[in-house]
């Protein structure tokens, strides 16, 4: 099954059960949302989760492109991407969590052919404000899926305030040996689908008040699911990355962790540019700038003459097509190349300045401030130019 057929199986399954498809076609959250980028499908739905009637009704389904920088240090492992797609469903005061879990189980097993014994669930175990989620527990027990109870890991919120609630997560087994242990004790259990019973609003003082309606908000990690269905051991091996894995190694020889970071960041940068963001020193543009700088730091590590000018247009086009972005790939390339030039110039200036006798010893805070204020050299760039600070880890977003 390829990515497109998993998307259509998912969307059709929920359409047959009364859900209407909404668009999830931009990384930019709606005005008033405090996050820089959409990190899950519920962003555009906050007013409706809080009670406003949605024009398309109370059952919704979508495919949402998301960007998360909180997981950036984990990109390169088998399951984390910067830009990824989330298949989402919502019940806006309609059906409840148990129905959502039953449909989730049916779709994964009968619709997508996953063996029930490869599944594990987690359920909110209760704390001093909210009790054990017995309704979810009973569904899983009835379906014969093993359950682990947790507290923090099974409470979902969009941020410090706003809609939130207990969730039940579905994990799939990725090990070669038969399934064993539980999700919090064995990371071969990979979380694929989160079902949140969103029925509270968290206030500034941390207290919870009930929302006017009880909602269900689910999010399924598309690339994780597809890579498992395709029998691959990482998201980087599923079909959406196939052209990247085919073409990038021919351009630049990179070890596997570096290849993954470069493919993830380049592909993410293309999508972000495709959504209209341009590199800058603040906000979204800064995230884009840091992605490009991180990937260039990796590409240049073994050979500083390498450059993004060699990047095949096909890779940009493939990504724009996949995300349905009606943007000229030449424009995307121009943005990438401009940013590359700017970074190269900054690095060269940094190297010249750091070669001065004054900066030969260890740098203290005063030096870092001086280099930043007088020469415009960011702290992390300086650290990356120091032998002990080389590598992408020195360029944190
Ligand atoms: N909002 C939840 C999540 O991001 C479910 O979609 O996991």
């Amino acid at each position: 099954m390829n990515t497109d057929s998993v998307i259509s199986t998912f969307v059709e399954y929920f359409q047959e059960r009364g859900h209407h498809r909404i668009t999830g076609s931009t990384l930019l959250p709606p005005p008033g949302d405090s996050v820089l980028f959409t990190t899950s499908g519920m962003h555009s739905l906050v007013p409706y989760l809080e009670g406003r009637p949605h024009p398309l009704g109370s059952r919704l389904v979508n495919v949402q492109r998301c960007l998360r920088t909180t997981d950036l240090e984990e990109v390169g492992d088998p399951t984390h991407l910067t830009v990824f797609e989330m298949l989402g469903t919502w019940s806006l005061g309609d059906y409840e969590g148990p129905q959502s879990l039953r449909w989730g189980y049916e779709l994964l097993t009968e619709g997508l052919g996953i063996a029930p014994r490869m599944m594990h669930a987690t359920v909110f175990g209760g704390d001093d404000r909210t009790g054990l989620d017995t309704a979810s527990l009973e569904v899983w027990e009835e379906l014969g899926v093993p359950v682990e109870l947790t507290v923090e890991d099974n409470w979902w919120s969009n941020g410090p305030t706003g809609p939130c609630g207990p969730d039940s997560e579905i994990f799939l087994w990725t090990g070669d040996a038969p399934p064993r242990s539980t999700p919090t004790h064995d990371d071969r259990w990979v979380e694929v689908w989160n079902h949140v019973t969103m029925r509270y609003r968290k206030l500034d003082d941390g207290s919870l008040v009930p929302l006017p309606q009880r909602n269900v908000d689910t999010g399924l990690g598309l690339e994780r699911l597809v890579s498992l269905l395709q029998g691959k051991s990482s998201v980087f091996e599923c079909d959406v990355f196939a052209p990247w894995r085919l073409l990038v190694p021919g351009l630049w020889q990179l070890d596997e962790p570096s290849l993954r970071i470069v493919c993830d960041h380049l592909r993410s940068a293309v999508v972000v540019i495709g959504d209209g963001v341009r590199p800058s020193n603040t906000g979204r543009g800064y995230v884009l700038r840091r992605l490009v700088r991180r990937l260039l730091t990796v590409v240049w590590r073994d050979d500083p003459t390498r450059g993004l000018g060699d990047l095949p247009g096909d890779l940009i086009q493939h990504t724009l097509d996949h995300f349905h972005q009606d943007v000229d790939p030449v424009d995307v390339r121009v943005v990438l190349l401009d940013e590359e030039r700017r970074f190269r110039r900054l690095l060269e200036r940094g190297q010249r300045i750091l070669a001065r006798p004054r900066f030969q010893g260890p740098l203290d805070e005063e030096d870092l401030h001086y280099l930043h204020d007088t020469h415009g050299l960011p702290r992390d760039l300086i650290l990356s130019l120091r032998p002990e600070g080389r590598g992408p880890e020195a360029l944190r977003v």
Side-chain angles (χ1 to χ4, degrees), residues 65 270-275 319-327:
R65 73 181 71 137
V270 170
V271 185
V272 172
I273 295 167
D275 273 349
T319 302
L320 295 174
D321 287 348
H322 178 77
F323 287 94
H324 308 289
Q325 291 175 307
D326 188 15
V327 173

Side-chain angles (χ1 to χ4, degrees), residues 254-255 257-259 261-262 293-303 306 391-392:
L254 298 164
D255 57 27
S258 304
L259 178 66
I261 291 173
V262 168
R293 289 184 177 184
R294 278 173 62 100
L295 80 89
L296 285 172
T297 305
V298 175
V299 168
W300 288 342
R301 194 162 44 204
D302 294 333
D303 179 359
R306 292 169 172 170

Side-chain angles (χ1 to χ4, degrees), residues 40 42 68 86 156 194 196 217-219:
S40 87
M42 53 78 71
R68 289 189 183 174
M86 192 184 271
W156 200 86
N194 190 9
V196 186
D217 155 45
T218 86

Side-chain angles (χ1 to χ4, degrees), residues 132-206:
L132 166 71
D133 179 3
T134 43
S136 299
L137 187 58
E138 280 168 17
V139 171
W140 292 126
E141 281 175 354
E142 187 194 313
L143 294 171
V145 174
V147 173
E148 180 175 25
L149 298 179
T150 89
V151 180
E152 282 88 13
D153 287 350
N154 283 105
W155 185 268
W156 200 86
S157 57
N158 184 31
T161 59
C164 57
D167 64 46
S168 180
E169 298 178 336
I170 302 174
F171 290 74
L172 298 181
W173 178 252
T174 60
D176 294 329
R180 54 177 290 272
S181 192
T182 66
T184 62
H185 290 102
D186 193 323
D187 60 13
R188 288 174 292 180
W189 286 111
V190 170
E191 183 209 333
V192 291
W193 199 348
N194 190 9
H195 293 239
V196 186
T197 303
M198 208 165 259
R199 57 173 191 260
Y200 298 105
R201 182 191 298 128
K202 193 168 175 192
L203 304 179
D204 284 333
D205 65 4

Side-chain angles (χ1 to χ4, degrees), residues 63 71 87 104 121 231 254 272 279 292 304 325 378:
V63 185
D71 296 333
L87 304 177
L254 298 164
V272 172
V292 176
Q325 291 175 307

